[in-house]
Amino acid sequence: IPGAPTLGSNSPLCTGNTLSLTASTIVGASYSWTGPNAFTSTLQNPTIAAATTAASGTYSVSVNVSGCGSAASTIAVVVNPTPAAPTAGSNSPLCAGQTINLTASNIAGATYSWTGPNSFTSTTQNPSIPGASTLAAGVYTVRATVAGCTSPNGTVNVVVNPIPASPTLGSNSPICAGQTLSLTASTIAGATYTWTGPSGFTTNTQNPNIVN
């Protein structure tokens, strides 16, 4: 009676990877494998491509030499699920000098890995970048890892707008009471303007006038 073969595998592994089973060599033997999900094989070292969690469980193999069968050997295999991609978010758009707050959806038992513009990396689930410059603008990527299995990428695009230069101001001062005061501000492309001044003066006009 041949001795029972010694078994091995690359377990634990993640869904989508190839499960590799091994049995020690016994001269002249034929092999008979059985396992979860109706698995059977007559190979000495079979593989299961793109394994799912249904491939988890106990595998058994016996050998036969000259019509004499061995006792069965068994091995437990674990196929861990690959986590879904985390949902990434941020407080974008924001202005240069403000804090970027990145968020990733909660996945039980996960560790997180962020990468992004300007050589950004973080292992925090919800990292922040204080005093962000325009170099921090771009696509940030996060992955979650559970039990050694890493998710697809979650991504978020962050916009960091530059602070505009202060406008150059002018007026027709000095003037006499009763005349029209004309205020001017230099043109900055895409800008809106907010003026404040004496006597509760406010306006959103680029070049306002105060009559009388």
Side-chain angles (χ1 to χ4, degrees), residues 10 15 48-49 53 55 64 71-72 96 106 113 119-120 123 128 146 149 171 191:
N10 60 336
T15 54
I48 301 174
T53 55
N64 188 291
N106 190 59
S113 176
S119 302
F120 173 77
T123 56
S128 295
V146 179
C149 299
S171 77

Side-chain angles (χ1 to χ4, degrees), residues 55-101:
S56 294
T58 300
Y59 289 77
S60 175
V61 66
S62 59
V63 298
N64 188 291
V65 179
S66 300
C68 298
S70 73
S73 295
T74 61
I75 187 170
V77 166
V78 176
V79 182
N80 290 313
T82 299
T87 302
S90 78
N91 60 335
S92 171
L94 64 157
C95 299
Q98 294 181 323
T99 297
I100 298 174
N101 294 317

